[in-house]
Each structure stands twice: as structure tokens, then as C-alpha cells.
Amino acid sequence: MIAIQSHSDEASTDDVIDWLLYLGADRIKRLNGNVSLNKETLRINNDSGHSSLFGELQAYWYRRGYFTLDIPDTGNPYPAVTTYFEKEYEYYTNGTAHFLSKQHSINSFCDNHTNKITNLVEAARAGLLIPDTLITADVKEIKAFAALYPRIITKAIAHNRIAATIDSDTYINIAVDTAIFDRDMIDALSAEQHFLPAVFQEYLEKKYELRIFYFHGRLYSMAIFSQLNEATRIDFRKHDRETPNRCVPYQLPDDLENKLRSFMQRIAMNSGSIDMVVTPSDDYVFLEVNPVGQLQWLSGNCNYPVEREIAKFLLHDQETGNRTTENHR
Amino acid sequence: MIRRPETERQKIIDEFLDWLDAHRHNLPVNASTWTFQLVEKRTVAEQELVTLGKYNAQKARSIPFYKPYTKIFKF
Amino acid sequence: MDYLLLYSNCVLVKGANRATICDLQKGDIYPVPKLLADLFQEDRALDLALLKEQVQDETASWLLQLIDTLVASQLAFYCNRQERKRFPALHTEWLFPAHVSHCILDSATGRLDYFTESFIAQLGKLCCNFLQLRFFGTPAITHLEHILRLIKDAQIKSVEILVPWNAAYENAHTYAKWINEYKKISSLICWGAPSTHVVIPGVEAMGYLLYTGEQINTATHCGIINQGLFSTNITTYTESLHFNSCLNRKISIDVQGNIKNCPSMTDSFGHITDTSLSEALNKPGFKRYWHITKDQIAVCKDCEFRHVCTDCRAYLEDPEDACSKPLKCGYDPYTGEWEEWSQHPMKQKAIAYYF
Ligand code: SF4
Ligand code: SF4
């Protein structure tokens, strides 16, 4: 069984299934969204492991979605018991995700817990350049930091969306996007107030941005000419539909590819989308890695065989070798 | 569902902004860069979604073929 | 800066008289004078120092102006020598996972009785997810809705439908109802309508309702080549480099039920009542046109549109020559002029042969 955990409206999953079917896969199981483990069984011993979710497991691809355990509402007068259930079963769902990640697999639910701060530390240790980063609530520190650079930016530590519920079908969507933290904002802060901490980084001038899809040692890189469109200068994800950013294949220098491989090994993530910036002085600066980034955007604009290679991996068909750079060099 | 009238939407946002102003010092120091949007959920009815049988997929929109199938009419 | 480099999804296609830059990311085509096109090394990099050396006077300033336009149109950018190798050419492999990419079903009567669940399963085996139904006779509402319901839950991703325009259907809002209810319809084209216009503009090429005044009552109307039918994207471009851009991975069933590569062709590979699609596909000769690329076709090989123009092999200027130019193309790449093909004196023999 080739097991895929995703969302019902996730286009790259359809694309990979197209390749699987074309290459002759006959047993594919796609689970979507919220997958309950209430009725499932996990067996682990020294010889083997087995989850009833997928039967005989040939390969596993985590793309989207999560495992849950539904705790029945018994009108329990002792909330601590319910809290205990929640905590207890979280270890079961995470354990199942871990079990699957140890099979022949791509990504894992656990990759969603990747930490941007940890990753910056590990990127620097792998020899990659990272932006000067400050995490603080101390206004004096922020002011001193801002004095070092022409401009600074701020972004979320991990979560960039807050849904502030108004009622059952209304909420205020709060976006914590990458934004310039300008002079006025800095001046408005008073050192006497006690804020909560946030992330600040030097603003990097960019020639172009890079989106790099890493997958079991292979790298597929794309340059994004976001400078062409004013609206996308800060965060290219906010690109306007009318004039999409020019996106083209890019060949990273070999030593940089090796550093990225070693970085991904350090953070133990077997697949992810890496964001980098190339500065006007040709420095390559690492920004972040997302475990389940957009694929069509990259493969579609660069004509990279990413979806086919994922399908081949799931089919244990590795004859194209571990380095893909040969494909598009 | 029916959207709220604009005045009511504005009221919700104003209340939220008042709360934000009153509590600014208890929020992250970069809260001045947050952006907001009032969202009234419209759950797409199941039958509105496109089903792709074999793929176990339900999509908001399916995709067209990438070139003319044949060349029998022009526009 | 050392070079002007075309973005790798903006490809330069040189023709006899001029060239085009095909913007495969955004779907636009820009004509370019030959003089400028010839200055590009490997069809993508223009050495700016060399340009200044080789070309002088007015020509130089004219070229520099053109170059500025290319940059302003976001087709090319300036880069230095080291950067150039960081921007490789587009990977040219055609990446489309299907044994058969699309299927055409023709009906003269308005019925497609073989269209059943098991027929859809046959398409599924071939990884065929895209369908075009061409009705030359009006399908009964119940019959077409039956077909649409079968498509609804199947693996089929989208379907284009051509039907004769019918006043009663129009009055009952049947066409709009189909578009609203069956979300897998990419376009519904009603031919023989009182006027030609877009009735419902779809979203992202899905859910279009179009009326055309043309009479499209037989498959012989197929094979039109004009600029409105060009397809400017990476999939078409890469397919045209290696395969026939119309007939590759195509399977069709004509109005008699004969399984063919294209309904307008004479060769049949079995009848749908006794032959499966894969049986027909595997018969010798079925794929004989699949590998005829534009680079092998007379005239087209010199045409700057050859990688956006999807070919036609059923109606040829010289019916005896499998590599002759499509009959219904009025473009002359040697002069850069479009003419009405049916008026052309050279084509009269072929017209008499086919029609
Ligand atoms: S070969 Fe010609 S007639 Fe046949 S489908 Fe293509 S364009 Fe139409
Ligand atoms: S000459 Fe050939 S390639 Fe050019 S437009 Fe006509 S048919 Fe297409």
C-alpha cells in the first residue's frame, strides 16, 4: 500500500497520484484532513511494526492533515480527567506519526512542529548565512538594533494567522506577515511599557529570492524576481495575480547545495521548501524552511519533474539516482 | 449565509481595534504590523465541490485541458 | 552588466522572416525582428559588449531600444558572466503522466450509447482524464445529463462539449443550468447560435458558455489554424519539441463508432462495439503520427509559431505527403502575412481532394 495523508483539495497530491497511476501503482490509499485513530491499532515490536490505518505499508507521504483521537463528551464533572485524555492521546497521535516517519516516507506530521528559531541556529551551524535576528520585547534593544540597519523587518515566530472568533461563523483573521518595522512604529514604542517579545531582522535588499524544494537529498531551485513588482518586495507570497512574479529555474553553487543538504540532515527533515534571498552583493542568505510548501508553483514554472520523482520514490523506483541536478543542468 | 450589513461589520472591527489599543502593551511588540480582515465563513456545500473519483479528492475547482482538444471552432 | 538573458520560460523561436519570444509563464507571444533574434547566443543570451562592437549607428540605438522594451516587458534581464550559469535553460522534457492525454467523442445523432461506467474505466486505465464531446446532432437533455452524471464522480478532470444551439433549450435555461450544475465542464460551445459571444465567462478556463454562429455539423470543420487557437504554455511547448502537438496521446471515436487517432482521419483501428480502447491503441499504426514534430513539417519548420501552434495532420496542403503543411493554415512564415487559406490558389487541389 502506498499511503498518502493529505487534504481533499490539495492539487499536488492529485499530481503525484497521476504519476503513480501512470507508473502502474495499483494500491494507493489517500486519507484526507482529520484522521481519527479511535478505531485503529498500532503494533510495534522488534521484528516489525504495523498500523491498521494502511495495512501492508510500501511507502508513506505526509502532505497535509493530522491525526486525532475523539474524546467523547460524557459530561464529566472532573475536567482534569478530560485534560489527561487530551494530553495522553496526543502522545499516541504523535507516536503514530513518528512510526510512519520511520517507514519509507516523505515528511511527517511532526515536521509541522519545526521551529524557525532552531532552524536559524542550525542553518548558521551548517555554514549558511542568516539574517541578523533579534527576539525581544525590550524597546531599548529594538532601537539599538534598528540603528544598525537602514531598515528592519518583523515577522511571526511560528504562527502567522490568528482567527479571533466572533461567533460560530464569523472571525477576525489576523495576519502576522513579514512587514517592514518602520521608524514611526519604533518611535511609537515607549521603553516603560511591557510588551511580549517579537522577531526582528535586518531588511535584506534582494536581487531575487530563491525557493528550493529539497527532497531526500535532491534540490530543485527556482529564482523569483519579486523586485519587479512593488507589492511583493517584502513577502513574495503576497503576489498580485495580474503580474505574477517571474519564476525560473536556478542552479545553486555546489557548495551551497551541500550546506543545504547538511542543514536538512541536522534538522532531520527529509523534504521541505527552503526560502533564501540573493543580495545585490551575491550573498545567499537563508530565511526559513517549510515542511509542506507549494509544489505546483515550482514544478510548473520550472518544468521540474518533482511530482514524478516523488511518485518514483514512493514506488521504490530509484534508478534516477540520488542527485537530480543532472536532470536540469 | 447572508453577510452582515457594512455598519455592523465596521462595528465589530472597531470594537476589536479598541480592544487592541487598550491592550497594546500586553501584546507582542510588533502588533502594530498586524493586518486584519473580518471573515464570514461561507461553507461550500458538498455538492458544489468537484469530485475526482479515483483520487479521493474534492476540489473547489477542477482544471481544464492545456491546449485545444481539436480545432473545430474559433473565437 | 555583461548579458541580456531571456528568462528561461520566455523562449526564443526563430522563423524564416522574424522570431517570436513565447512567454510560457504568462501565455503571451511577442514578435521580434530577426536581426535582434540572431544576436542571442544559444537562443537566450545576448552579449552586450559584442553588440556594441558589432553593430553601430542607428541600428545600434534601435536595437538598444528594443532591448529596453524586452526588459520592460519582463521577458529578459541583465546579468553578469558568473550569474549566467546560475540560470539554466528550461528542462525540455514533456511531463504529462498519461498513456492517452485526451479523448474526442463525435456523435452525429446526439447519442453516445457506449458512454457507460465501463467505458470510463477504460479511459481510467489509460490515465485519460480530459474529454471533448462533439455533438453534430442535438442530444436529448436526459441523455446528456446521464453522461454528465457519470463524469461527475469519475476520475475525469474536465470535459468540453460542443452542441447544436437549440431555441427550446435556450428558453428553458438548460445551458446555464448545465454549467452551474456540472462543475467539470470546462466549456460548453453551442454552434449555429443566432450570434457569436461569450454567454458565461468562466473562471480560470472552467465553466465557460460560448455561442457561435458557425455551422459545425461535421468533423470536416476541424483543423483550423489561427492565432486564437495558439496555446502558449510549457506543456504545449515541450510536447511540440518531441511529439506531434495535435495527435500525440489523442484517441477518438468518430460518428460511426470507429476508434481512430483523430475523427477526421481515414484509418480505423476497430469499432467501439467490439474493440477496447487499449486494443485499438496497441494496433500497429495507431501512433504513426505521434512523433511527427513541427521541425519535420514543411513550412512549419520555418515558422516562428511552431511551438505554440498545435498541428493538424488530417488536412494537408499535399495529401500525399505526411509531412506537408496543414491545409487550413493561411500563414506564410516567409512573408509574415496571414491570408484566408480557402482562397489560396495552391490549396485548391487539396480542398477538392478532402471536401
Ligand atoms: S489532426 Fe486536424 S482534424 Fe484531427 S483533431 Fe487535429 S486539428 Fe482536428
Ligand atoms: S505555418 Fe505551420 S506552424 Fe506556422 S502557423 Fe501555420 S501551421 Fe502553424
Side-chain angles (χ1 to χ4, degrees):
Chain A
M1 184 70 68
I2 293 175
I4 302 174
Q5 192 174 355
S6 186
H7 189 271
S8 56
D9 191 0
E10 205 289 302
S12 294
T13 310
D14 304 342
D15 294 345
V16 170
I17 292 177
D18 274 330
W19 281 105
L20 285 170
L21 294 169
Y22 178 71
L23 296 170
D26 49 359
R27 290 186 312 140
I28 304 167
K29 183 169 181 181
R30 171 182 182 166
L31 294 178
N32 292 318
N34 176 344
V35 175
S36 162
L37 294 183
N38 288 54
K39 297 202 169 77
E40 305 299 336
T41 306
L42 179 66
R43 169 100 185 267
I44 321 158
N45 60 33
N46 280 101
D47 306 323
S48 65
H50 181 267
S51 161
S52 62
L53 263 177
F54 298 113
E56 210 48 58
L57 198 66
Q58 184 184 346
Y60 170 73
W61 180 31
Y62 174 80
R63 179 79 185 136
R64 297 281 153 87
Y66 49 94
F67 294 125
T68 55
L69 211 115
D70 305 320
I71 299 158
D73 180 10
T74 51
N76 185 339
Y78 313 104
V81 177
T82 309
T83 313
Y84 163 82
F85 286 157
E86 280 164 5
K87 278 202 274 189
E88 180 73 353
Y89 290 123
E90 193 188 325
Y91 280 71
Y92 176 33
T93 52
N94 284 341
T96 301
H98 181 81
F99 164 77
L100 291 166
S101 77
K102 295 300 161 193
Q103 312 302 308
H104 184 74
S105 66
I106 306 169
N107 283 125
S108 151
F109 173 77
C110 309
D111 292 338
N112 290 325
H113 301 142
T114 195
N115 185 319
K116 282 185 195 168
I117 300 170
T118 314
N119 293 347
L120 283 173
V121 173
E122 291 306 322
R125 281 166 42 105
L128 294 162
L129 292 177
I130 59 167
D132 193 357
T133 304
L134 178 80
I135 303 151
T136 190
D138 185 328
V139 174
K140 279 201 295 295
E141 290 279 355
I142 297 168
K143 290 187 174 169
F145 185 74
L148 298 176
Y149 301 102
R151 286 205 276 180
I152 62 168
I153 60 150
T154 182
K155 57 170 156 183
I157 297 171
H159 307 99
N160 56 7
R161 287 286 177 275
I162 311 167
T165 308
I166 303 295
D167 60 34
S168 61
D169 47 28
T170 314
Y171 62 96
I172 294 176
N173 183 40
I174 308 173
V176 189
D177 290 324
T178 305
I180 294 276
F181 201 67
D182 64 24
R183 251 308 116 222
D184 292 345
M185 291 170 176
I186 297 168
D187 292 343
L189 300 175
S190 114
E192 276 69 61
Q193 285 179 306
H194 299 281
F195 297 101
L196 294 172
V199 180
F200 299 92
Q201 282 180 332
E202 61 177 304
Y203 171 79
L204 295 165
E205 291 293 340
K206 47 200 79 139
K207 264 211 306 216
Y208 28 82
E209 310 193 28
L210 301 177
R211 162 58 66 96
I212 302 146
F213 179 65
Y214 171 91
F215 159 62
H216 282 284
R218 310 159 197 214
L219 292 151
Y220 299 89
S221 309
M222 171 169 85
I224 304 151
F225 287 76
S226 52
Q227 292 307 83
L228 302 174
N229 300 317
E230 201 51 38
T232 59
R233 287 196 113 175
I234 311 302
D235 188 344
F236 62 75
R237 267 160 298 213
K238 286 194 242 167
H239 53 124
D240 45 316
R241 285 213 147 244
E242 293 301 296
T243 44
N245 290 320
R246 185 61 74 185
C247 299
V248 295
Y250 191 79
Q251 179 60 57
L252 289 169
D254 286 345
D255 67 318
L256 201 84
E257 289 203 338
N258 290 332
K259 285 176 186 167
L260 288 172
R261 286 192 187 97
S262 105
F263 162 70
M264 291 301 282
Q265 273 152 22
R266 279 169 183 276
I267 65 164
M269 199 189 277
N270 60 29
S271 176
S273 291
I274 299 162
D275 290 337
M276 294 188 83
V277 156
V278 180
T279 66
S281 45
D282 289 320
D283 283 332
Y284 292 87
V285 186
F286 170 92
L287 297 181
E288 59 182 64
V289 57
N290 294 295
V292 289
Q294 265 250 28
L295 281 185
Q296 278 189 334
W297 182 36
L298 179 120
S299 58
N301 283 320
C302 300
N303 202 38
Y304 284 152
V306 175
E307 292 84 358
R308 180 182 64 197
E309 295 309 307
I310 291 176
K312 281 184 158 180
F313 176 88
L314 297 173
L315 285 162
H316 296 253
D317 173 0
Q318 302 287 62
E319 56 180 348
T320 49
N322 286 319
R323 288 176 58 89
T324 46
T325 37
E326 75 208 38
N327 283 334
H328 43 267
R329 185 164 270 167
Chain B
M1 72 159 285
I2 304 154
R3 254 173 75 115
R4 286 179 171 75
E6 203 41 57
T7 49
E8 204 177 315
R9 288 172 62 86
Q10 196 53 51
K11 197 176 144 250
I12 295 176
I13 291 183
D14 287 346
E15 275 172 16
F16 174 74
L17 289 176
D18 288 345
W19 173 83
L20 209 65
D21 272 344
H23 295 87
R24 176 110 316 164
H25 58 281
N26 289 324
L27 294 172
V29 60
N30 64 353
S32 50
T33 65
W34 290 0
T35 54
F36 339 89
Q37 206 190 358
L38 183 67
V39 184
E40 289 171 86
K41 260 188 262 177
R42 283 191 59 231
T43 32
V44 189
E46 283 267 312
Q47 80 254 24
E48 294 257 319
L49 294 169
V50 180
T51 304
L52 294 186
K54 237 187 215 171
Y55 298 75
N56 189 21
Q58 296 249 299
K59 308 166 69 64
R61 185 175 309 128
S62 197
I63 50 169
F65 193 47
Y66 63 89
K67 63 177 182 183
Y69 285 91
T70 56
K71 290 176 283 292
I72 202 162
F73 64 94
K74 45 177 178 246
F75 260 94
Chain C
M1 285 296 162
D2 307 318
Y3 292 102
L4 175 80
L5 192 65
L6 289 175
Y7 290 111
S8 35
N9 43 28
C10 297
V11 295
L12 184 71
V13 183
K14 288 183 194 165
N17 181 48
R18 59 172 181 181
T20 54
I21 293 174
C22 303
D23 180 345
L24 305 175
Q25 187 183 342
K26 301 179 191 176
D28 301 318
I29 305 168
Y30 299 81
V32 180
K34 207 165 181 330
L35 188 64
L36 177 63
D38 286 339
L39 291 169
F40 283 88
Q41 303 166 358
E42 296 165 346
D43 287 349
R44 34 191 322 253
L46 194 152
D47 188 322
L48 295 166
L50 218 61
L51 170 81
K52 284 184 188 126
E53 241 173 67
Q54 289 175 340
V55 204
Q56 272 121 35
D57 320 325
E58 286 132 67
T59 326
S61 67
W62 174 67
L63 284 173
L64 287 173
Q65 248 176 358
L66 282 177
I67 288 173
D68 281 340
T69 323
L70 295 186
V71 175
S73 315
Q74 300 185 6
L75 300 172
F77 63 105
Y78 295 109
C79 76
N80 60 36
R81 214 161 287 279
Q82 292 77 38
E83 267 182 304
R84 184 182 161 184
K85 61 173 185 287
R86 300 278 150 236
F87 290 96
L90 202 67
H91 183 63
T92 60
E93 196 181 352
W94 183 61
L95 294 168
F96 198 89
H99 305 292
V100 163
S101 64
H102 60 302
C103 171
I104 318 301
L105 305 177
D106 279 1
S107 162
T109 57
R111 292 201 68 83
L112 287 171
D113 288 319
Y114 55 80
F115 198 93
T116 57
E117 261 171 49
S118 81
F119 179 78
I120 294 180
Q122 286 193 44
L123 291 175
K125 263 204 205 116
L126 299 170
C127 305
C128 176
N129 297 322
F130 296 96
L131 266 183
Q132 188 192 37
L133 311 179
R134 306 193 302 185
F135 289 98
F136 305 123
T138 303
I141 291 179
T142 49
H143 184 56
L144 190 57
E145 288 185 351
H146 170 71
I147 290 172
L148 288 168
R149 271 195 303 276
L150 287 176
I151 290 171
K152 194 173 173 169
D153 294 320
Q155 84 283 353
I156 305 286
K157 292 186 181 169
S158 59
V159 56
E160 179 172 288
I161 306 169
L162 196 75
V163 290
W165 183 84
N166 179 302
Y169 285 27
E170 153 93 54
N171 292 338
H173 307 289
T174 307
Y175 301 129
K177 178 180 161 252
W178 285 344
I179 292 284
N180 286 328
E181 215 168 301
Y182 300 98
K183 301 286 182 197
K184 286 189 183 175
I185 298 176
S186 47
S187 317
L188 175 62
I189 301 112
C190 304
W191 59 265
S195 69
T196 297
H197 67 285
V198 177
V199 186
I200 301 176
V203 183
E204 291 181 24
M206 290 297 294
Y208 278 85
L209 177 58
L210 313 169
Y211 285 179
T212 172
E214 287 174 67
Q215 292 297 320
I216 311 175
N217 48 9
T218 69
T220 54
H221 291 279
C222 198
I224 305 167
I225 306 285
N226 76 19
Q227 283 171 286
L229 286 160
F230 287 171
S231 172
T232 313
N233 57 55
I234 289 182
T235 315
T236 305
Y237 170 74
T238 51
E239 184 174 30
S240 77
L241 292 173
H242 311 287
F243 302 101
N244 187 271
S245 47
C246 184
L247 294 159
N248 181 44
R249 262 71 162 190
K250 187 195 283 295
I251 201 165
S252 310
I253 302 176
D254 74 4
V255 291
Q256 326 275 6
N258 294 312
I259 307 173
K260 296 174 168 183
N261 190 175
C262 135
S264 293
M265 293 186 147
T266 39
D267 293 349
S268 164
F269 297 86
H271 196 272
I272 188 62
T273 48
D274 54 30
T275 313
S276 75
L277 294 179
S278 19
E279 277 164 10
L281 194 67
N282 290 319
K283 285 192 184 167
F286 192 97
K287 303 171 185 170
R288 60 184 278 229
Y289 296 104
W290 289 16
H291 288 271
I292 302 182
T293 64
K294 281 287 192 192
D295 293 323
Q296 300 160 30
I297 295 169
V299 187
C300 297
K301 63 169 175 266
D302 292 323
C303 177
E304 66 274 26
F305 297 122
R306 66 188 177 278
H307 297 305
V308 294
C309 163
T310 56
D311 195 41
C312 175
R313 289 295 91 203
Y315 303 108
L316 304 175
E317 227 171 57
D318 177 357
E320 307 292 310
D321 174 7
C323 286
S324 135
K325 185 192 173 193
L327 174 66
K328 300 187 189 180
C329 170
Y331 185 64
D332 180 348
Y334 305 102
T335 62
E337 307 276 339
W338 286 92
E339 275 176 42
E340 177 50 43
W341 66 272
S342 55
Q343 307 299 320
H344 202 284
M346 297 257 298
K347 302 209 187 225
Q348 298 311 315
K349 239 172 80 185
I351 292 173
Y353 174 92
Y354 289 114
F355 308 105

